[in-house]
Amino acid sequence: MMVRRRAAIALAVGCLAGGAAGQATGQTIAPQGTQPGGLASGTAPADVASKCNACHAGGTDDDGKAFRPWDTWGGTMMANAVRDPLFLAALTISEQDAPGSGAFCLRCHTPKGFVRGHATGVGAALDADDQQGVDCEACHRSINASAVQPAVMYDGATIAALAVLDPQAPYIGNARLHWDPRDVRHGPYDDADSPAHAAAGSPYTSSSELCGQCHEVLSPLRTLLGAAGTDTGFPFPLDNTYTEWLSSDYARGATAKSCIACHMPAARGDALKVSTFPSAMSRANPRTHVFVGGNAWGLEAVKLAAPEIAADRSGAFDVAAAAVQAMLESAVQIDVMPGEAHEGGSTVDLVVRVTNLSGHKFPTGYADGRRAFLQVELQDAQGASLGLLGKYDDTTAHLDVASELRVWESIQAEHLSGGGHREWHIAKNDTVVKDTRIPPAGFSPTGAAAIAMTAPVGADYGPVTGMRNYDDVSVRFSSLAPLPPGSLKVAARVFYQSTMREFVEELARANTTDDRGTKLLAIWEQTGRAAPRLIGSRSADVTVGPPVPGSDGGVDAGSDGGRDAAVTSDPPNQSFGCGCALAANIDGRAGLLCLLALAAIRRRRPRRP
């Protein structure tokens, strides 16, 4: 924990020099980690596309599923990080807004391209090997540079030990990876043997710190402005997934879960070989390399953008898509809680609790375009719809503002000198306009930087110490026909959306350099417009109680919150996503969140075509 905390704080307060009005000074590319051309005196990176799959592909586990590294990696967003058409369109806009910033983006999306000196501008110098994205060597050649790397035997010869390269390493964030200049692959096994390369056991390869290299991204150009527009001096948080995890119950205590515990699910089998080479050792339940996240639409977009890759790796894309859906469906728990409904009345009130079961905020990652939202439908006893809140119009690809219940998202933007904000230009972001995402269990950020960069904006999840990992949403159906006695039905649903119309349209509109924006827009149209994906639902019966004396049968303002009505639903699912067995962290109260006035929270208004 000491290394994690030290590295995170060093990144937050030391890597950038703050300037006025959120404008940072200094280099775009942090000097820590292996720099472009930094392997010139060592062994050049290998061609993963033609070498690694020779041994690390084929076969199935005891469940009949692909499990070897190549087969489970090839269809992921990691493997296709430079083929992602949305990333490419955003990269062009970033380079337009801040020339030179492209290398910063590409350092995460193609670490190999970066160390080879090809990651410049909008990526025009990237070759076919750089296009492999976050490939095998990006992780298996990364080392904890503050430790001596021992000598390794390979092919009858000794590869000399490697001295400490940087006593301050490992760093967290902004892809400041140190690559082993020796031709050695690091992994979780001390007894690995390969005819293709030397191998060494290293706990760093399986650590969350390695994941935090690219899943913690702080702007090298802008600092974070506070609510009043004052400069905090902290780098602007483009992606705080690692800090969100580090600040939660998942990072501490007996119930801690590392990043790979959820995002690299284990294969099933007591004697599986991750290599097809005859002398490969058998492993019990080895980790797959599916690197599962939530971007289901991104996989479809990549397949359309790179049809030859999609055809060649069709099985891998199928594996990735199934894993993404399973991950999304494990992310939240939905509970419908007691409310009020009276015979003869025209109003039904209830509360829906959505609990975050993931090890970071829900949703997490880059903010632009990513969101989740709640939809609740009221039905009569026969199942006919009486009302729908949280409507999404597939025809226009807009979430209906008038019926909106709750949207969990972070809105990042540029603070404009004349007032107001401008969204969708990541290189210029300096303000968190809104962050209503649900914290993970036990969320308790420590230190001024972590608190400032992960604080809710426009939502209240409790004090900094021990924020709630659930959101109670007040739901009211009104102007109904007089309610008959008996039961009604309510269905609560949570949808996840990888990107939204406004973001895609802005990437196309603002592009004055190339055709990436228009290509993205066409792909978005052809892939269902990144339609929201249902990730959880809960149905319940609402008992209509007797009319309230002296009223018109509607809600009694003096009632005690549902004594005359009951909601019964299926038993709540107390399991946590990815099988984590953390305490549910729900205090049993049915209290409602205090919503801020609409004027205090800037909602995304649909921009009509």
Side-chain angles (χ1 to χ4, degrees), residues 20 39 44 48 62 116 201 206 216 219 428 430 457 481 505 554 559 603:
L39 294 180
V48 63
D62 289 0
R116 295 175 72 202
S206 303
E216 182 81 8
S219 174
K428 294 188 174 183
D430 56 20
V457 178
E505 289 182 334
S559 72
R603 296 182 181 270

Side-chain angles (χ1 to χ4, degrees), residues 103-445:
F104 173 79
C105 306
L106 289 165
R107 190 174 187 177
C108 270
H109 282 256
T110 174
K112 179 180 292 184
F114 178 81
V115 300
R116 295 175 72 202
H118 298 167
T120 58
V122 295
L126 299 177
D127 62 22
D129 196 26
D130 302 325
Q131 294 286 341
Q132 300 303 323
V134 185
D135 72 348
C136 308
E137 284 185 289
C139 296
H140 290 284
R141 203 159 162 183
S142 290
I143 58 174
N144 176 359
S146 66
V148 173
Q149 305 300 314
V152 179
M153 291 295 299
Y154 176 64
D155 198 23
T158 300
I159 299 177
L162 181 67
V164 170
L165 298 178
D166 185 346
Q168 298 301 313
Y171 297 98
I172 298 298
N174 292 13
R176 295 176 294 169
L177 299 163
H178 280 95
W179 287 50
D180 192 332
R182 307 172 302 169
D183 193 15
V184 177
R185 306 298 178 271
H186 299 260
Y189 305 114
D190 292 326
D191 57 352
D193 178 42
S194 170
H197 54 75
S202 172
Y204 182 66
T205 309
S206 303
S207 70
S208 294
E209 287 82 2
L210 178 55
C211 302
Q213 287 280 2
C214 287
H215 293 279
E216 182 81 8
V217 183
L218 306 183
S219 174
L221 302 173
R222 297 288 176 119
T223 48
L224 173 66
L225 301 183
T230 56
D231 194 343
T232 68
F234 300 124
F236 185 81
L238 298 172
D239 180 354
N240 276 151
T241 301
Y242 177 84
T243 295
E244 293 164 14
W245 167 83
L246 186 65
S247 304
S248 77
D249 284 349
Y250 288 83
R252 52 182 176 253
T255 56
K257 296 286 181 179
S258 68
C259 301
I260 67 171
C262 295
H263 295 279
M264 295 179 67
R268 198 173 74 83
D270 294 331
L272 299 177
K273 295 185 176 183
V274 297
S275 170
T276 57
F277 192 68
S279 67
M281 302 291 292
S282 293
R283 311 296 183 188
N285 307 313
R287 294 283 173 185
T288 63
H289 285 59
V290 73
F291 299 111
V292 57
N295 194 0
W297 172 79
L299 298 175
E300 295 301 316
V302 166
K303 288 166 65 176
L304 199 59
E308 69 291 346
I309 294 294
D312 184 58
R313 303 181 185 179
S314 59
F317 275 99
D318 290 343
V319 169
V324 168
Q325 186 62 27
M327 173 67 77
L328 288 173
E329 291 176 356
S330 73
V332 296
Q333 174 181 307
I334 305 171
D335 295 297
V336 182
M337 301 164 66
E340 291 185 329
H342 299 283
E343 180 183 346
S346 60
T347 303
V348 174
D349 287 273
L350 52 93
V351 175
V352 176
R353 171 171 290 181
V354 177
T355 303
N356 177 14
L357 304 183
S358 65
H360 39 64
K361 286 187 176 183
F362 172 76
T364 192
Y366 280 100
D368 284 351
R370 189 169 306 185
R371 65 183 176 186
F373 62 89
L374 177 66
Q375 181 182 94
V376 181
E377 184 175 15
L378 184 67
Q379 303 169 339
D380 65 18
Q382 287 72 45
S385 181
L386 300 177
L388 181 66
L389 300 176
K391 300 175 185 177
Y392 184 86
D393 189 332
D394 290 311
T395 303
T396 63
H398 282 132
L399 182 61
D400 179 45
V401 174
S403 70
E404 182 183 303
L405 285 168
R406 184 78 91 245
V407 179
W408 298 287
E409 64 183 344
S410 177
I411 300 177
Q412 299 181 353
E414 175 191 9
H415 178 78
L416 301 177
S417 58
H421 301 92
R422 183 176 72 158
E423 293 179 53
W424 315 125
H425 290 250
I426 193 170
K428 294 188 174 183
N429 286 349
D430 56 20
T431 302
V432 178
V433 179
K434 172 187 177 185
D435 187 353
T436 56
R437 298 173 298 165
I438 307 175
F443 189 63
S444 181

Side-chain angles (χ1 to χ4, degrees), residues 3-13 172 216 218 242-243 246:
V3 172
R4 292 175 183 161
R5 197 171 302 279
R6 179 195 69 196
I9 292 175
L11 172 62
V13 301
I172 298 298
E216 182 81 8
L218 306 183
Y242 177 84
T243 295
L246 186 65

